[in-house]
Amino acid sequence: MLAAAAAAEGVGGMPAELELGLQCERWNALPEPGGLLDQPLGLLQRMGAAVNVYKAFVSERQRGNVTLTEWSRRDPGAWRTLASVEKMRRKQDG
């Protein structure tokens, strides 16, 4: 999740799960042959989390002249995601 946030901020490359998740969205396809239950254990969850974090950070960066407070009211899910990632960053930094 931290790497996905960093990628959205333009710091470092995309983690594999984020890149794969965005490709799956773009092409409307699963990463491996078969159905949902044929995918490697945990992969779809990691992809989904990475994409959600990435989109939340991109949304915040693209808010333009909208205040952070107004943006958080318009997109509370993205706001909660940003807050969670920032909490993880603070914990990681000690």
Side-chain angles (χ1 to χ4, degrees):
M1 288 180 62
L2 296 176
E9 294 171 325
V11 181
M14 288 187 182
E17 289 88 353
L18 173 58
E19 190 168 359
L20 189 57
L22 292 173
Q23 288 174 353
C24 288
E25 277 190 355
R26 181 177 182 191
W27 299 108
N28 197 28
L30 292 170
E32 298 289 333
L36 284 174
L37 298 178
D38 297 315
Q39 303 307 304
L41 184 63
L43 178 60
L44 296 179
Q45 290 82 0
R46 291 190 308 274
M47 287 170 34
V51 169
N52 287 342
V53 168
Y54 182 81
K55 287 182 175 183
F57 273 77
V58 167
S59 172
E60 193 278 328
R61 286 183 66 190
Q62 295 176 343
R63 66 184 164 90
N65 293 331
V66 176
T67 66
L68 187 60
T69 301
E70 180 59 31
W71 172 82
S72 70
R73 286 185 185 132
R74 291 180 186 179
D75 197 345
W79 170 251
R80 285 190 300 274
T81 299
L82 244 63
S84 294
V85 170
E86 291 304 328
K87 184 176 180 180
M88 290 170 63
R89 284 177 169 170
R90 285 191 303 275
K91 187 174 182 178
Q92 182 184 38
D93 293 341

